[in-house]
Amino acid sequence: MTRADGSWSRLGHGAAGLGGLLLLMEAVPRLGLVDERFLPPASRILATLAGELATPGLWIALGQTMRGWAAGLALAFGAAVVTGVVIGVVPGLRALTSSTVEFLRPIPSVALVPLATLLFGPSLGSTLMLVVYAAFWQVLIQVLYGVAAVDPVASDTARSYGLSAWSRIRRLVWPTALPYVMTGLRLAAAVAFILAVTAELVIGSPGLGAQIQVAQSSGAVPTVYALIVLAGLVGIAVNAAVRLLERRVLAWHPAVRSEVPA
Amino acid sequence: MSATGPPGDARPATAAGDVRVRGAGAAGDARPGGGVRVRVLGAVRRVVCLVALPALLVLLWWAVSGSSFYLPGPAAVGRAFAETWFSARLLDDVLPSVGRLLAGYALAALLGVGLGVPIGSSPRLRATLEPVLEFFRAVPPPVLVPLIMLLAGIDTPMKVLVIVSGCVWPILLNTVEGVRALDEVLADTCRMYGISGMSRLRWFVLRGASPQIMTGLRQALSIGIILMVISEMFASSSGLGFTIVLFQRQFQIAEMWSGILLLGLLGLGLSLLFRRLERWVLAWYHGSGAARA
């Protein structure tokens, strides 16, 4: 079986799975198992989504969400990689900072919702605050894991060969940590999207989440569903983009090279 | 030549490396013959490491506070913390929130692992369900809150359901991934030795997938806390999330900060518990050096 065949049959299976879900979503309300007011049939949800996609307002909201997501993720990623490498490489710093990191990291970023509301109100600032806080720790922790995973023998070798600190970082620490960094980026991208939408939903910053909130409070149930489906599709796009990036960046890594499509 | 396990070839070296990786905090008690003095010195150093930076940060906080209405000093927040949370609120708001979180999390773990193992073991099932699962995972869980409110009302079942609906996907997908990536050589070995059924599940499938499962559980825990708070911010008259937003709306700034602090402590406590669990479950894995692959 060639590779193309395999991916086609995979695609077929996947399509069957999605088709099954749509059928189920269509059948359950039509058969009256769940009240149509609470779960509109799939066809109506998709029609509503198509109708919404024709309005410019939705695209503006989507753009606002993505702007908050991208800006927050970029800020958090840059800050976390620099912080993580410094903490990981400078001896003693890891022990000194670990209690602080361990305390700050698990603080759920939604705990900052009231603070963001007070400081920024319903605006991009609130979104950024939540997104950056949530994404930063995801990346930082992975960078720290990655730096700690450097083979001690290789590290000692590099040291005894007299490699400078900078070239140790560049040639030993960074390649070792890169898979972890990319994992961190992937996790952070997903969390950042969740938090971007959450900020809009709870605080009311403009964007997709705010639209869902409006639709819900005005009782437009099919619109709520349609927007949730859209949020899911955007989430998939976000994941796919980061995975593609990960694959590209790690093309040399054995874990990626040995992965044969089933 | 196998491309799967490059680091597995140097057991003694990696065992030493493991001590070093974890060494930051735990090096002191690894040596039984070190004598009392070394141990005391080690303990002192650990304590200094533990408190130095936090102390510095609190000092900094104390120095800059007062310049802004939104940032009360550490003393005010501390007082508010004691007054607010060591009261009836602990029983009325905090414990029910935590209970819902744990209930939802446990349900999600059962569901995720229970469904993940069969899906991961069958390539066909996996190919069929993967797009659907990826879709559900990609939906940001908080957007489901308005929906689940519609379906399940605003009581405890809604909140637990919200937590389950968000936590289950990372666990499920990581279990699928872990089961999929099980070592083929070990799978063949199992077959050769006729290990099947429950013992295969327990000793090979769940064991082999446990690093991934734990990753999923860790991701789910933070999502669970987020959802616990959010579900209470929406439509509720009790709970941690509700209380904190209430303080914010009434401009009780010190109380609000104390709530943020409490959420942080809660997150910290849960993640410490989780780390214990992880270390216990994955002791074999960290010891083998496979953790680096």
Side-chain angles (χ1 to χ4, degrees), chain A residues 34-58:
Chain A
V34 177
D35 195 328
E36 254 185 59
R37 276 176 306 165
F38 297 145
L39 178 65
S43 55
R44 197 178 316 153
I45 296 174
L46 291 181
T48 313
L49 179 59
E52 286 287 327
L53 283 176
T55 61
L58 185 73

Side-chain angles (χ1 to χ4, degrees), chain B residues 32-56:
Chain B
V36 180
R37 221 181 115 222
V38 174
R39 220 176 301 162
V40 168
L41 267 179
V44 167
R45 229 179 59 195
R46 269 170 64 183
V47 169
V48 168
C49 279
L50 215 60
V51 250
L53 188 59
L56 204 72

Side-chain angles (χ1 to χ4, degrees), chain A:
Chain A
M1 192 163 74
T2 64
R3 200 181 141 174
D5 277 349
S7 65
W8 275 117
S9 95
R10 239 179 115 71
L11 218 63
H13 279 294
L18 276 180
L21 178 71
L22 285 177
L23 265 181
L24 191 74
M25 295 268 299
E26 184 76 31
V28 166
R30 294 256 184 235
L31 293 175
L33 294 175
V34 177
D35 195 328
E36 254 185 59
R37 276 176 306 165
F38 297 145
L39 178 65
S43 55
R44 197 178 316 153
I45 296 174
L46 291 181
T48 313
L49 179 59
E52 286 287 327
L53 283 176
T55 61
L58 185 73
W59 290 100
I60 294 174
L62 191 58
Q64 282 162 333
T65 303
M66 294 326 282
R67 193 178 52 170
W69 171 78
L73 184 62
L75 273 174
F77 183 77
V81 166
V82 172
T83 316
V85 169
V86 169
I87 290 179
V89 169
V90 178
L93 213 51
R94 181 146 197 205
L96 268 179
T97 51
S98 72
S99 61
T100 311
V101 170
E102 290 306 314
F103 177 71
L104 291 178
R105 178 178 68 109
I107 295 182
S109 41
V110 284
L112 301 179
V113 162
L115 193 64
T117 314
L118 283 182
L119 292 180
F120 299 105
S123 69
L124 183 65
S126 312
T127 310
L128 279 183
M129 183 168 164
L130 296 194
V131 169
V132 169
Y133 191 85
F136 177 79
W137 300 109
Q138 296 282 348
V139 181
L140 181 69
I141 292 303
Q142 291 296 328
V143 175
L144 288 178
Y145 278 149
V147 175
V150 170
D151 188 350
V153 177
S155 176
D156 291 345
T157 311
R159 211 172 299 234
S160 56
Y161 273 60
L163 262 67
S164 70
W166 173 243
S167 50
R168 273 211 308 269
I169 291 178
R170 226 180 84 72
R171 306 200 181 279
L172 179 65
V173 175
W174 183 244
T176 311
L178 197 56
Y180 293 85
V181 173
M182 294 313 290
T183 306
L185 180 65
R186 179 154 45 79
L187 298 176
V191 168
F193 182 58
I194 294 178
L195 264 298
V197 175
T198 304
E200 295 159 5
L201 198 65
V202 181
I203 306 179
S205 318
L208 210 54
Q211 300 271 329
I212 293 178
Q213 178 59 30
V214 169
Q216 195 250 348
S217 50
S218 58
V221 178
T223 313
V224 175
Y225 276 95
L227 290 175
I228 289 174
V229 170
L230 182 65
L233 294 178
V234 174
I236 288 182
V238 163
N239 286 346
V242 181
R243 254 170 217 269
L244 193 72
L245 184 73
E246 190 176 8
R247 227 156 236 285
R248 284 238 142 147
V249 173
L250 296 180
W252 53 274
H253 196 271
V256 174
R257 278 195 317 213
S258 67
E259 212 171 276
V260 184

Side-chain angles (χ1 to χ4, degrees), chain B residues 9-80:
Chain B
D9 46 2
R11 291 270 158 138
T14 45
D18 186 49
V19 171
R20 197 181 286 217
V21 168
R22 296 204 234 142
D29 38 39
R31 276 163 260 146
V36 180
R37 221 181 115 222
V38 174
R39 220 176 301 162
V40 168
L41 267 179
V44 167
R45 229 179 59 195
R46 269 170 64 183
V47 169
V48 168
C49 279
L50 215 60
V51 250
L53 188 59
L56 204 72
L57 288 177
V58 170
L59 266 178
L60 198 71
W61 173 15
W62 179 72
V64 295
S65 68
S67 59
S68 161
F69 170 67
Y70 295 126
L71 188 63
V77 173
R79 214 175 314 120

